[in-house]
Amino acid sequence: MPHTLQSILVLLASAVVVVVLCRVSRLPAILGYLVIGVVVGPHGLRWIPDNETTRFFAEFGIVFLLFSIGLEFSLPQLKSMRRAVFGLGLSQVAITTLVAMAAIWWFQGSWQVGLVLGAAIAMSSTAIASKMLAERNELATPYGRDVMAILLFQDLAVVAFLIIIPSLAHPGKEMMERLGWAALKAAAVLSIILYFGQKPLRAWFQLIANQHSAELSMLNLLLVTLGLASLTSFAGLSLELGAFIAGMMIAETEFRYEVEEHVAPFRDVLLGLFFVTVGMSLDLTVVWAHFGLVVLLLLVPTLGKLLLVAGLARMFGAGRANAIRTGVYVAQAGELALVMLTLANVNEVLDATTTQGGLAALVLSMLSGPLLIQLGDPLVKRFTANDWL
């Protein structure tokens, strides 16, 4: 117990100091948590052990991350933005994943590794992009709407990847059988929960709301979220899928904003712990030994995504300036990529070296994201000097 208390105090003190520095520097708190994990983890100062208890609580952080994504998911919004979401967003994720998968398959000979890394590269940081758009009052601009459409499709795509990744470590025939069963179970569970569960869920939340108890509302929220996550886990799917479904169901009720207010502090603390554990898993000695791989995984995807998204945005009717700005905002890696790499490592789809290189490149990409966005204005003015901005 004293050792556990000491670890908690170290984490709290480190988190407070680093998050304050991130706020002052106008950087996302996610980056601060990653730095904390690297510094105090088993590969740094060794103040915090990387044990089962830490990873157990961190898993709840992933659950509430997917719950929050589902909570922000809106079917009316998806319908109104369907051209950009299923045109621009689908094209970006599909082309990025397939190109990266083909390249890695050509050089390494494993399409499973290529699929995981390609899917991770395709993801962008919703936290960084949306925060920067909001701070710069650019959410209502044409490129702001395109960026949010791409991020919305990425949130949808990650659900499919979370179903696929655990099956990739098995041999050919068994893998196809597992993928088929996973798809059937996912379709069945989604159909049952979304079709039959919406009215009972609304009635249940109305009953809880009538009691006018914040404590009861919070307990009910935990029950619904973890209950649906356990249900999908029991069906042989991931906890994260159930959490996403729970958020998506609540998003269609009138209790969406109340739930969002209740879950925000709890979610942010657990999510911070997840990013700390990601930082703890990063071994800088391994990263340094394969520094060329890290740089390759950093520069090529970032520049490739920027050019790809800018080109796709132009194809879908955006002006040159708006297209480049859209590419700049989604070029960096995202927190969902960290979730996928962690899941692939746990299921032994990726080896330790590839995981370490991928994690290091993702962390560096997220660190450079705000800087790249800040440099976006001079970049746009340089290449679109004659455009009306």
Side-chain angles (χ1 to χ4, degrees):
M1 181 63 72
H3 181 72
T4 303
L5 179 59
Q6 182 182 0
S7 299
I8 293 173
L9 289 174
V10 169
L11 280 177
L12 287 175
S14 305
V16 169
V17 172
V18 173
V19 171
V20 166
L21 292 175
C22 287
R23 296 281 185 185
V24 172
S25 307
R26 296 181 177 273
L27 294 173
I30 293 173
L31 305 181
Y33 290 124
L34 291 168
V35 171
I36 290 171
V38 173
V39 173
V40 304
H43 304 297
L45 299 176
R46 300 181 181 179
W47 291 349
I48 307 294
D50 184 14
N51 53 30
E52 290 295 330
T53 303
T54 307
R55 288 192 291 271
F56 175 76
F57 283 107
E59 188 171 8
F60 283 104
I62 308 176
V63 166
F64 279 93
L65 169 63
L66 270 295
F67 174 79
S68 300
I69 291 173
L71 196 61
E72 294 169 2
F73 182 80
S74 169
L75 290 176
Q77 182 188 21
L78 180 64
K79 186 177 180 180
S80 65
M81 299 173 62
R82 59 186 179 276
R83 183 176 180 274
V85 172
F86 293 104
L88 185 56
L90 172 61
S91 300
Q92 182 269 320
V93 172
I95 294 173
T96 305
T97 303
L98 291 175
V99 169
M101 178 178 165
I104 294 169
W105 186 19
W106 176 266
F107 287 105
Q108 192 177 4
S110 173
W111 68 266
Q112 293 93 333
V113 173
L115 177 59
V116 172
L117 292 180
I121 290 170
M123 298 296 115
S124 305
S125 176
T126 302
I128 293 174
S130 60
K131 179 177 182 295
M132 297 291 287
L133 282 170
E135 287 181 351
R136 293 155 63 94
N137 296 318
E138 295 174 344
L139 281 168
T141 60
Y143 56 88
R145 291 192 293 270
D146 283 345
V147 169
M148 296 310 296
I150 292 172
L151 295 175
L152 184 58
F153 186 83
Q154 289 179 0
D155 293 342
L156 283 174
V158 77
V159 176
F161 289 132
L162 290 175
I163 295 171
I164 293 171
I165 288 173
S167 304
L168 296 179
H170 300 277
K173 186 177 180 181
E174 184 181 354
M175 179 185 65
M176 297 308 296
E177 290 177 355
R178 286 177 175 268
L179 282 175
W181 274 112
L184 287 174
K185 287 188 287 188
V189 169
L190 282 169
S191 301
I192 293 171
I193 293 176
L194 295 178
Y195 185 77
F196 295 104
Q198 194 69 50
K199 289 183 179 179
L201 182 72
R202 180 178 274 108
W204 177 252
F205 267 83
Q206 185 62 60
L207 175 65
I208 298 298
N210 292 338
Q211 311 310 311
H212 304 290
S213 170
E215 178 185 2
L216 183 59
S217 298
M218 190 64 200
L219 288 172
N220 178 61
L221 177 61
L222 290 173
L223 172 65
V224 171
T225 305
L226 298 179
L228 285 176
S230 299
L231 181 62
T232 54
S233 178
F234 180 76
L237 303 168
S238 65
L239 290 169
E240 294 81 8
L241 178 61
F244 178 83
I245 295 171
M248 189 167 60
M249 290 175 65
I250 295 172
E252 297 304 310
T253 70
E254 60 271 26
F255 305 103
R256 171 184 177 179
Y257 297 105
E258 179 186 355
V259 167
E260 195 169 11
E261 181 180 354
H262 282 308
V263 78
F266 190 72
R267 173 203 64 200
D268 291 343
V269 170
L270 288 175
L271 192 55
L273 182 57
F274 164 69
F275 287 117
V276 169
T277 58
V278 171
M280 289 169 62
S281 65
L282 192 62
D283 188 346
L284 295 181
T285 57
V286 177
V287 171
W288 182 253
H290 300 86
F291 189 70
L293 174 65
V294 173
V295 173
L296 185 69
L297 290 175
L298 170 63
L299 295 180
V300 174
T302 302
L303 295 175
K305 279 172 67 178
L306 195 160
L307 296 173
L308 172 65
V309 172
L312 289 173
R314 288 284 284 166
M315 288 176 58
F316 281 88
R320 190 187 307 171
N322 288 333
I324 296 175
R325 289 176 187 272
T326 304
V328 167
Y329 267 101
V330 299
Q332 84 286 338
E335 52 275 1
L336 293 175
L338 297 174
V339 174
M340 287 192 287
L341 281 189
T342 303
L343 182 64
N345 186 41
V346 169
N347 286 277
E348 299 181 351
V349 181
L350 299 181
D351 58 35
T353 301
T354 306
T355 302
Q356 291 292 328
L359 287 175
L362 292 176
V363 171
L364 291 174
S365 179
M366 292 175 70
L367 281 169
S368 64
L371 179 61
L372 182 61
I373 293 172
Q374 293 286 356
L375 294 175
D377 291 331
L379 183 68
V380 169
K381 291 176 182 177
R382 178 179 179 84
F383 288 100
T384 61
N386 296 324
D387 285 14
W388 174 260
L389 301 180

